[in-house]
Amino acid sequence: MKHDLENSVGELTRLAELGQIFARHGLKNLGSLFGVMPVSEKEPDTEDLRPASVVALLRDVGPVGIKLGQLLATRSDLFTQPWISAFGTLHDQVEPLPFDKIEPVIVSAWGSDWECEFAAFERNPIASASIAQTYVATLLDGSETIVKVRRPGMAPRIEADMRLLTRLAGLAERRSSDIARYRPVQFLQTFAKNLAREMDLAAEARACERIGGYLEMLGVKTPAIHWQLTGMTINVQEALVGKPASRPPATGQGDNARFAKRYADAVLRMILLNGEFHGDPHPGNVFWMEGNQVGFIDFGSVGFLSGARRQEIVRLIFAIANDQIDKVADLLLDWAGNPLVDRAQLAMDLDELIEEFRGTALAGIEFSAIFDRVFGLLREYRLVLPPDLAILLRTLLTAEGFVRSLAPDYNIAEETKPIVMQLFAERFSIGAARDHLAKVRSGLLDFSASLPELIENVASVARSGTIQVSIDPASLNHLTREEDRSTPVKGPVVAALIVSAALLADQSLLLAGIVLAFAGIALIPRWN
């Protein structure tokens, strides 16, 4: 009870601080939406928001505000270029804490005799960010390491800020239909989960090992983790030998092109084939090693693409390739949560966009040009991408920008082709078909369990002559599509029932016979 009371008092104090920050930057309208300023009788107007004021506010909010701004800088689906540029000025470099403020964290993790683990430990940090400070050290066996130490007191403050901001976002959703459309609560919940993962330095080390295991098969290097010294507040990892790609060695164009190809191949395969990938592969997190070998460091930001999401991407590619614009529109709307939009106009705009690139050789296509057009369309219809796709697009844009800076003539889209073909092969492999068949069979067995209830419902319909129908209003727009009105369903239904009967035959001849009977009924012409 006492702990809850302290939390409540702390949140009220922080709420007052946030109110002062909003007022200081002239953002009272935005503050009233989020419940940190007095509420006006009419819905507050947010049209007069200026990027510079919002960025200054985020900077004053502290580490959570800076991290949030950095994430918003990647959301071109939500913001126009002036906003993206403004958010991009929020750098996660802060004044380093003196070592005597950091050392208690080290003592808590390793004990007071921690220096016995090292032959040398440089007490001046080589980097200082909002969450952690980074040092170089040499182990007793001569291994050169990078030591990352979480800044003291960060975890409780960040957790408290995230709880409060998520609660305020829920209030803003209820007060503003415009804000609700962007689902800020869902956005902040995902942001909080990723931030918690970044706060856990052992989680970063585990991600480095998992993704590193895949990259090793591609000849790409990641740091080895010294687990005996790694925990939530500290991680110790191998210092890679080479140069950060932000300061590339003086090489010829041939070396640049080879390094760019290896880097692009690693990024694309991580995303499309592995499903877990480095979420921020900018040049500062990439090492240029001997023999043009690629190395990745800093796995604090990680992206995930589920198998289902990767299959959706395959469906999207197929739909675009086959000019199935309605399916492209359906998938985008599904990703955005099926908001109410002019679907017919969206399909026309998508068709026009795809037409611009139709027939263009891959070597002539730039991801950045496509994404710029797609993001503009998403903003126009106020369609919000799921967070996993947003980090995917950020990663692709970061990769393409870096590759083009090294080798202007290199085209990352061309590199994608064999990887996508491998993804297609995985989707349509015999193993995938077998897995799908097993799911179908499992579903049919579940269906068999509900047959008695189904038969009773059919009997009820026969006795009463009426059928109760429930319609989802959000799905009505699908009924207006010409292909839905004209596509015959009897043939596919009968075929499905016959195949189902064949699958069920070795389980129950009686059940298979019932399913075949339904197939026969489906073939009977309708009475007029």
Side-chain angles (χ1 to χ4, degrees):
M1 182 68 71
K2 180 181 177 182
H3 181 68
D4 290 342
L5 181 61
E6 288 175 351
N7 278 345
S8 298
V9 172
E11 287 188 2
L12 287 173
T13 302
R14 183 58 170 155
L15 194 64
E17 290 175 359
L18 290 174
Q20 292 173 357
I21 293 172
F22 275 84
R24 183 161 65 245
H25 295 289
L27 297 170
K28 293 183 179 180
N29 280 347
L30 188 62
S32 67
L33 275 176
F34 283 94
V36 297
M37 303 289 292
V39 182
S40 60
E41 293 184 1
K42 62 178 183 178
E43 186 171 294
D45 180 20
T46 57
E47 293 296 322
D48 59 347
L49 289 178
R50 289 175 293 116
S53 298
V54 174
V55 166
L57 178 144
L58 290 172
R59 190 176 284 113
D60 282 358
V61 166
V64 167
I66 291 172
K67 288 287 185 183
L68 182 59
Q70 289 175 324
L71 179 59
L72 294 178
T74 69
R75 296 303 300 263
S76 296
D77 58 318
L78 301 178
F79 299 99
T80 56
Q81 191 54 47
W83 283 93
I84 297 298
S85 298
F87 288 134
T89 64
L90 285 166
H91 301 295
D92 194 23
Q93 297 296 319
V94 299
E95 192 69 25
L97 289 174
F99 191 77
D100 61 356
K101 300 290 186 184
I102 290 289
E103 189 171 17
V105 179
I106 299 176
V107 171
S108 177
W110 294 339
S112 57
D113 59 346
W114 63 270
E115 290 181 272
C116 297
E117 300 282 353
F118 298 92
F121 193 105
E122 176 55 57
R123 295 183 177 227
N124 292 320
I126 59 172
S128 177
S130 57
I131 289 178
Q133 295 189 179
T134 305
Y135 301 84
V136 295
T138 306
L139 296 180
L140 296 176
D141 64 2
S143 301
E144 298 296 331
T145 65
I146 299 295
V147 181
K148 186 180 286 190
V149 185
R150 193 168 75 188
R151 292 164 71 96
M154 293 303 302
R157 179 181 175 185
I158 286 177
E159 289 167 4
D161 272 4
M162 286 310 309
R163 281 197 307 271
L164 183 58
L165 287 175
T166 303
R167 192 177 304 163
L168 295 177
L171 186 63
E173 278 191 5
R174 293 190 293 273
R175 287 180 175 172
S176 169
S177 57
D178 282 340
I179 285 183
R181 192 181 185 96
Y182 294 103
R183 295 177 285 178
V185 171
Q186 180 190 24
F187 178 86
L188 284 175
Q189 286 171 342
T190 302
F191 172 60
K193 189 186 302 181
N194 292 336
L195 196 53
R197 190 183 298 119
E198 194 171 344
M199 291 282 293
D200 182 354
L201 300 187
E204 177 190 334
R206 289 192 294 272
C208 180
E209 279 204 341
R210 284 195 311 272
I211 301 174
Y214 177 77
L215 290 174
E216 186 178 10
M217 297 187 295
L218 306 177
V220 174
K221 178 71 175 170
T222 55
I225 305 300
H226 295 276
W227 282 109
Q228 75 277 14
L229 296 171
T230 293
M232 284 189 67
T233 57
I234 302 178
N235 78 36
V236 181
Q237 54 191 272
E238 171 190 9
L240 295 187
V241 178
K243 285 192 172 184
S246 54
R247 302 195 308 273
T251 58
Q253 279 300 107
D255 284 338
N256 284 358
R258 279 188 287 274
F259 186 85
K261 176 178 173 59
R262 291 171 183 172
Y263 165 83
D265 184 71
V267 170
L268 292 169
R269 288 181 184 275
M270 273 193 290
I271 292 171
L272 293 173
L273 299 180
N274 189 50
E276 185 179 17
F277 55 94
H278 196 303
D280 195 15
H282 65 76
N285 287 336
V286 180
F287 262 65
W288 196 311
M289 305 177 70
E290 187 178 355
N292 295 319
Q293 185 182 21
V294 177
F296 285 96
I297 63 169
D298 194 353
F299 286 79
S301 175
V302 173
F304 300 91
L305 278 186
S306 66
R309 185 72 85 199
R310 278 179 281 162
Q311 296 305 330
E312 288 174 352
I313 292 172
V314 171
R315 282 167 44 207
L316 179 66
I317 295 170
F318 266 128
I320 293 173
N322 294 319
D323 288 340
Q324 296 171 316
I325 306 303
D326 282 331
K327 290 186 178 180
V328 176
D330 285 345
L331 197 53
L332 287 178
L333 289 172
D334 283 344
W335 284 345
N338 286 307
L340 293 176
V341 300
D342 186 340
R343 189 188 171 287
Q345 185 60 49
L346 173 62
M348 290 174 60
D349 290 341
L350 284 168
D351 191 33
E352 181 182 334
L353 188 154
I354 293 170
E355 182 64 34
E356 285 188 34
F357 299 97
R358 189 175 288 129
T360 304
L362 278 176
I365 294 178
E366 294 185 18
F367 279 161
S368 54
I370 297 175
F371 289 158
D372 188 54
R373 292 294 313 280
V374 170
F375 289 150
L377 202 59
L378 292 173
R379 288 194 302 270
E380 181 182 344
Y381 286 89
R382 294 193 293 179
L383 302 179
V384 182
L385 288 176
D388 59 336
L389 289 176
I391 192 171
L392 160 67
L393 295 181
R394 177 187 75 177
T395 302
L396 286 174
L397 286 173
T398 299
E400 190 191 38
F402 176 43
V403 166
R404 288 190 180 278
S405 72
L406 289 176
D409 296 332
Y410 184 79
N411 190 271
I412 197 171
E414 185 70 33
E415 187 69 25
T416 309
K417 184 163 59 175
I419 300 171
V420 170
M421 293 309 296
Q422 185 176 342
L423 186 61
F424 286 172
E426 288 183 3
R427 182 186 184 193
F428 297 113
S429 66
I430 293 175
R434 188 184 299 115
D435 291 343
H436 182 68
L437 190 60
K439 291 177 182 178
V440 170
R441 184 172 184 153
S442 174
L444 287 169
L445 291 174
D446 290 342
F447 166 73
S448 70
S450 63
L451 266 180
E453 182 181 353
L454 176 62
I455 292 171
E456 173 58 31
N457 286 338
V458 171
S460 173
V461 170
R463 286 194 299 269
S464 65
T466 61
I467 300 175
Q468 290 186 349
V469 178
S470 177
I471 297 177
D472 175 13
S475 301
L476 285 176
N477 61 331
H478 293 290
L479 298 178
T480 64
R481 288 167 53 181
E482 186 62 33
E483 65 182 65
D484 290 337
R485 291 197 297 270
S486 60
T487 302
V489 296
K490 181 180 290 185
V493 168
V494 172
L497 289 170
I498 292 172
V499 171
S500 302
L503 289 170
L504 292 169
D506 68 337
Q507 296 288 325
S508 169
L509 287 174
L510 175 61
L511 182 57
I514 292 172
V515 175
L516 277 174
F518 275 113
I521 292 170
L523 287 171
I524 298 173
R526 290 183 301 170
W527 291 320
N528 292 323

